[in-house]
Amino acid sequence: MAKVVSLEPVKRRQRPHQRRTQRAAPPPDPAALARQHWWGLGLAALAAALWGLAPVATKAALAGYSPELISVLRLGTAAMLFRILGGTRAHLWPRSIWSWIGGIALGADFVVYNYGLRLTDAGVSGLVINIELVTTIALAVWLLGERLTRRRAWGSAMTLAGAIYVGLDGIHLGDLVARERLIGNVLVMLAGVFWSVFAVAQRKVPRGGNLFQLVTPIFFVAAVTTVPGLLLPAAWYNPAGIEPTIMLLVLVVACTLSVYAAYARAQELVDVSALAIVLASIPVFAVIFAWLLLAEPITSRVIVGGAAILVGVVLITIERPATAAIERAQ
């Protein structure tokens, strides 16, 4: 009798360890994701505080150093340190188009912001820089597919209104449009737009390796972007001084190395649009540092505006963090 041969493929018996590897991944732990969410918001608050220090430190550093030299020193030092911390797998040359975009935008942000701050007051710059709140959320919705929830919309409105109210303290309409300040204000607003492009581009860079391997090529490109400014004769006029030098060191260590490392880590834990709202509290920190370091008074307008910003930040931070994190993980 002929042996019947089946044409169906033979199903091999799987070993136990093979069956285990094919099981579906367990669902995300809501408690763990919630902790990551709050940790990310804490890092964002730290970044906001350090960036609030930046206008005061920059204004003081500009008294002794050119804006071109400040940009190169801040970005170049950060790129080299991040390269060391990133280990042997950290590359200076970008391997992603988004690293190029983010680096060029970050370099342009530094250059334009330094020029603008030299032409306008720190208080006015704290007002107009908040254009980045709107542009960052818009770019995050467009390029990252993040949802503009009702709570985020209200949080954006509250923080932006509070920041404007704080920034208008002691400032008349003529201050915003005066010829000697108009160019500076426009440059600071343009810097905010460049920073938004950097923030979203950094999120688009393919993840691989540690945090410092991610930011090293971005900061290298940013530093290279600012180098041509050193060809200007004015870039080498640097009378220096003790206070400008101290503030330059603060800019490099606290307002560049530390703040961008904290922000990059926060981006891995929280949506970019949520970060933008938390970072809208920067003017409040700027006012506090101006009071501590420059003895500027804290008026009732600052208190009311700060409260409005705080309400906006709270609105977004209580947006069901575990649920939002689970959606992002999926």
Side-chain angles (χ1 to χ4, degrees):
M1 184 176 178
K3 185 177 180 180
V4 179
V5 179
S6 175
L7 298 179
E8 295 180 358
V10 178
K11 296 183 178 179
R12 297 181 179 179
R13 186 176 180 179
Q14 294 180 336
R15 297 178 180 178
H17 73 275
Q18 291 178 322
R19 290 197 298 268
R20 284 196 299 268
T21 58
Q22 294 181 358
R23 292 177 182 174
D29 180 15
L33 292 176
R35 286 193 296 270
Q36 292 181 4
H37 180 84
W38 288 110
W39 176 242
L41 292 176
L43 289 173
L46 173 61
L50 293 177
W51 269 316
L53 176 61
V56 177
T58 302
K59 198 75 175 178
L62 285 170
Y65 296 92
S66 67
E68 299 86 2
L69 184 62
I70 290 176
S71 298
V72 173
L73 285 177
R74 291 180 67 185
L75 292 169
T77 303
M80 293 301 102
L81 182 60
F82 292 156
R83 167 66 178 81
I84 295 173
L85 295 175
T88 57
R89 298 185 61 186
H91 301 282
L92 292 176
W93 201 254
R95 298 184 176 183
S96 168
I97 184 61
W98 290 107
S99 294
W100 282 101
I101 295 174
I104 294 173
L106 182 61
D109 165 41
F110 270 58
V111 172
V112 174
Y113 181 76
N114 286 341
Y115 281 129
L117 191 58
R118 193 171 58 171
L119 299 175
T120 188
D121 292 339
V124 179
S125 69
L127 164 64
V128 297
I129 195 64
N130 280 277
I131 189 67
E132 70 186 26
L133 172 66
V134 179
T135 54
T136 300
I137 292 178
L139 289 173
V141 172
W142 175 36
L143 296 175
L144 302 179
E146 295 184 1
R147 295 184 301 112
L148 182 61
T149 64
R150 182 179 302 177
R151 191 178 293 272
R152 290 185 183 184
W154 278 107
S156 301
M158 289 296 296
T159 50
L160 186 57
I164 291 175
Y165 193 70
V166 170
L168 286 175
D169 187 25
I171 298 174
H172 304 288
L173 180 61
D175 295 329
L176 297 177
V177 296
R179 179 177 300 179
E180 64 273 13
R181 294 188 180 181
L182 181 59
I183 297 177
N185 296 333
V186 171
L187 290 176
V188 172
M189 293 179 67
L190 182 60
V193 176
F194 280 131
W195 191 90
S196 297
V197 175
F198 151 75
V200 174
Q202 179 178 274
R203 190 65 176 264
K204 294 283 289 184
V205 176
R207 291 309 191 256
N210 59 38
L211 169 65
F212 299 108
Q213 294 169 8
L214 168 69
V215 298
T216 294
I218 296 177
F219 273 79
F220 175 73
V221 172
V224 172
T225 302
T226 61
V227 166
L230 296 179
L231 297 176
L232 299 175
W236 299 103
Y237 176 72
N238 299 285
I242 297 177
E243 182 178 348
T245 302
I246 293 175
M247 286 302 179
L248 180 59
L249 292 175
V250 170
L251 276 175
V252 173
V253 177
C255 303
T256 308
L257 301 176
S258 301
V259 71
Y260 279 96
Y263 178 78
R265 176 57 179 158
Q267 269 199 329
E268 298 177 345
L269 304 174
V270 183
D271 284 345
V272 172
S273 54
L275 286 180
I277 297 173
V278 176
L279 294 180
S281 61
I282 291 176
V284 176
F285 289 106
V287 168
I288 294 174
F289 283 118
W291 172 63
L292 291 174
L293 300 177
L294 304 178
E296 294 184 359
I298 298 180
T299 64
S300 58
R301 176 184 290 269
V302 171
I303 296 175
V304 173
I309 292 175
L310 181 61
V311 170
V313 172
V314 170
L315 278 175
I316 186 59
T317 56
I318 63 176
E319 185 192 15
R320 286 186 258 177
T323 303
I326 291 174
E327 291 177 353
R328 193 165 58 251
Q330 293 174 344

